[in-house]
Amino acid sequence: MKKTIIMALMAAVSVSASAQQKQTIEIPSWLSNVKLSGYGMTQYQYSGQKDAESNSFNIRMARISLEGRIAGDFYWKTQIQFNGNTSTLGSSPRMVDLFAEWQKYEYFKVKIGQFKNPFTFENPMHPIDQGFMGYSQNVSKLAGFSDRAGEHASNGRDIGLQFQGDFLKNANGRNLLHYQIGVFNGQGTNTKDVDQQKNVIGGVWVMPVSGMRIGAFGWTGSYARKGTWTDEHDASYTADIQERSGVRKLSQNRYAFSFEYKQDGWTVRSEYIHSTGKAFDKSITNFNDANAKDCNLNAKIGDKAQGVYGLVIAPLAQLPKNSRIDVKARYDMYQPNGKSNMQRTQYEAGLNFHIGKRISIFTEYALINDKTLAKHNYSMADAEVCFRF
């Protein structure tokens, strides 16, 4: 009896192993280089702002992406963010990237889908490679992260079509000129166009020496909502105050000048951005929240904004096993109304510890000067542990 049972088990194992071999999935030759990757950024942050003190652990970012190539010439990528906005508990998980790009020619590539706005050097950077506790204020407010216009947080992205390329090679085969231009909905991530007017965003930069980029960018279009608002002293009405409803479109025109030099572990970068265009009074966390139909304007910040930052990241010590320590500093100034009376300035310094290629630890102290507060100055401290796979 025992011998019969043992023989039956051996036969079952053999059939199972044979079945597993038959179920092996082979990737078609025309679909190649499929790669699964992701990263996480954990954070502790302290703020000493008077009457709004806080200190908290936070999941700054958690994302997984899948990318690959189709038929050699097409690159594709999709990326999902799993953590919500822990300040306003915005919706999550959500798609941040989904695009395909035809890359047959280095000088002419075509990308379609949802991806980064081609505006500024800093916007398309990986959050870990960017190196500080957050993107600079002017990029955050004027490139589609937490946009001053009131758009839902879109991580600097939109849905559209883009052309880009590199050309004009020097004697060493290095390209000297890059261009990029695209048309976008103007409504941020995962959202259809509202006013049927597209944003045109683009940039061009030269690379005169290895590691250096000098660029200029432009942005023209609109951000719109469909809802209700109150017009005051409108000449087309007999009364001073009238309720309106429908689509309200706010023109957005922006430009930026950028400089960057990266060589031998050093990074020096500075960008100035100027914006003309009004903003809605209430920002929204996603297109379907309660404020999405509030089309009243933010009179306090008006129709102008500008900001500039300058930063340095320098190698401090090289450690074994591809590890190193960097020292960093950043000046970060933003004027939400284009004037100094509402200016917010951050003076930041800290250390970055890179343990191999997969783990980074960021530490940072910032002195904040915010002229909109009764007590202008306060301190912030930030520490982050980041990993990639």
Side-chain angles (χ1 to χ4, degrees):
M1 183 65 178
K2 289 183 179 180
K3 185 176 180 180
T4 302
I5 294 173
I6 292 172
M7 291 179 65
L9 289 173
M10 291 177 65
V13 169
S14 176
V15 170
S16 176
S18 176
Q20 287 180 4
Q21 289 179 355
K22 290 180 181 179
Q23 291 174 3
T24 301
I25 298 174
E26 294 186 3
I27 298 175
S29 60
W30 53 268
L31 178 62
S32 61
N33 301 323
V34 177
K35 177 184 176 184
L36 176 68
S37 62
Y39 63 94
M41 304 180 74
T42 63
Q43 180 183 54
Y44 171 82
Q45 190 171 88
Y46 161 81
S47 173
Q49 181 181 337
K50 185 175 175 58
D51 299 325
E53 293 85 354
S54 66
N55 70 90
S56 179
F57 291 102
N58 177 40
I59 303 300
R60 180 181 163 191
M61 205 87 72
R63 291 179 177 172
I64 291 180
S65 65
L66 194 65
E67 60 188 309
R69 304 194 74 85
I70 299 176
D73 294 336
F74 289 89
Y75 167 76
W76 60 269
K77 180 177 181 178
T78 181
Q79 184 170 216
I80 304 294
Q81 181 164 321
F82 288 92
N83 63 309
N85 180 335
T86 52
S87 297
T88 58
L89 301 181
S91 61
S92 193
R94 61 185 181 275
M95 182 179 69
V96 290
D97 286 302
L98 179 62
F99 64 84
E101 184 174 44
W102 182 61
Q103 298 180 337
K104 184 176 179 63
Y105 302 107
E106 185 180 30
Y107 57 85
F108 183 73
K109 301 176 182 179
V110 184
K111 182 188 290 188
I112 187 168
Q114 180 168 288
F115 48 90
K116 287 278 192 174
N117 293 315
F119 192 71
T120 75
F121 288 160
E122 187 170 272
N123 180 31
M125 288 183 180
H126 192 290
I128 296 178
D129 295 336
Q130 192 271 337
F132 285 81
M133 64 179 177
Y135 291 85
S136 58
Q137 295 180 90
N138 59 354
V139 172
S140 295
K141 293 296 183 182
L142 302 175
F145 284 82
S146 179
D147 203 280
R148 80 181 291 274
E151 174 186 292
H152 64 283
S154 294
N155 305 104
R157 292 165 166 85
D158 206 339
I159 304 173
L161 172 70
Q162 176 179 295
F163 305 96
Q164 64 177 345
D166 299 275
F167 61 97
L168 198 62
K169 292 182 182 295
N170 65 7
N172 298 321
R174 183 175 57 82
N175 286 303
L176 301 178
L177 187 64
H178 174 89
Y179 73 92
Q180 52 191 31
I181 186 167
V183 291
F184 301 87
N185 283 343
Q187 298 299 129
T189 54
N190 307 313
T191 308
K192 292 183 178 181
D193 204 344
V194 174
D195 60 357
Q196 311 310 313
Q197 176 182 336
K198 301 298 181 284
N199 284 2
V200 179
I201 308 172
V204 61
W205 60 77
V206 295
M207 298 164 279
V209 298
S210 179
M212 180 181 290
R213 296 190 292 173
I214 304 172
F217 299 83
W219 175 321
T220 184
S222 65
Y223 171 60
R225 291 181 185 176
K226 186 176 183 180
T228 60
W229 68 95
T230 300
D231 263 354
E232 297 185 4
H233 307 290
D234 192 311
S236 64
Y237 288 85
T238 57
D240 285 341
I241 300 177
Q242 292 288 336
E243 293 293 331
R244 285 196 181 190
S245 64
V247 173
R248 191 170 200 184
K249 177 174 64 176
L250 305 182
S251 296
Q252 304 293 319
N253 296 289
R254 298 168 179 176
Y255 62 84
F257 298 111
S258 307
F259 171 85
E260 182 184 64
Y261 181 71
K262 294 183 69 173
Q263 196 78 3
D264 300 325
W266 284 77
T267 298
V268 180
R269 187 171 65 253
S270 181
E271 299 191 274
Y272 169 80
I273 309 176
H274 184 275
S275 174
T276 302
K278 296 180 180 180
F280 290 113
D281 188 37
K282 296 180 180 179
S283 297
I284 56 178
T285 56
N286 61 73
F287 191 72
N288 295 316
D289 79 4
N291 294 330
K293 296 182 179 180
D294 187 337
C295 298
N296 290 294
L297 299 182
N298 187 334
K300 182 184 293 185
I301 63 174
D303 65 352
K304 286 186 174 62
Q306 62 180 349
V308 65
Y309 75 87
L311 64 82
V312 176
I313 302 175
L316 184 64
Q318 189 68 41
L319 304 176
K321 298 182 178 179
N322 294 318
S323 300
R324 72 181 194 275
I325 302 175
D326 293 338
V327 62
K328 63 184 179 182
R330 179 170 69 174
Y331 169 82
D332 182 6
M333 183 276 288
Y334 176 64
Q335 297 174 345
N337 65 344
K339 300 177 182 178
S340 61
N341 66 323
M342 294 186 70
Q343 180 172 308
R344 186 179 187 274
T345 308
Q346 298 182 184
Y347 305 89
E348 304 165 62
L351 295 172
N352 292 343
F353 303 84
H354 299 284
I355 304 171
K357 297 181 179 180
R358 301 294 184 183
I359 299 175
S360 298
I361 301 172
F362 299 156
T363 62
E364 191 169 334
Y365 167 80
L367 174 64
I368 313 296
N369 178 271
D370 189 340
K371 293 186 178 180
T372 65
L373 303 176
K375 186 174 176 58
H376 297 340
N377 297 321
Y378 64 93
S379 296
M380 290 184 67
D382 185 270
E384 302 181 21
V385 178
C386 313
F387 62 90
R388 316 183 204 216
F389 63 88

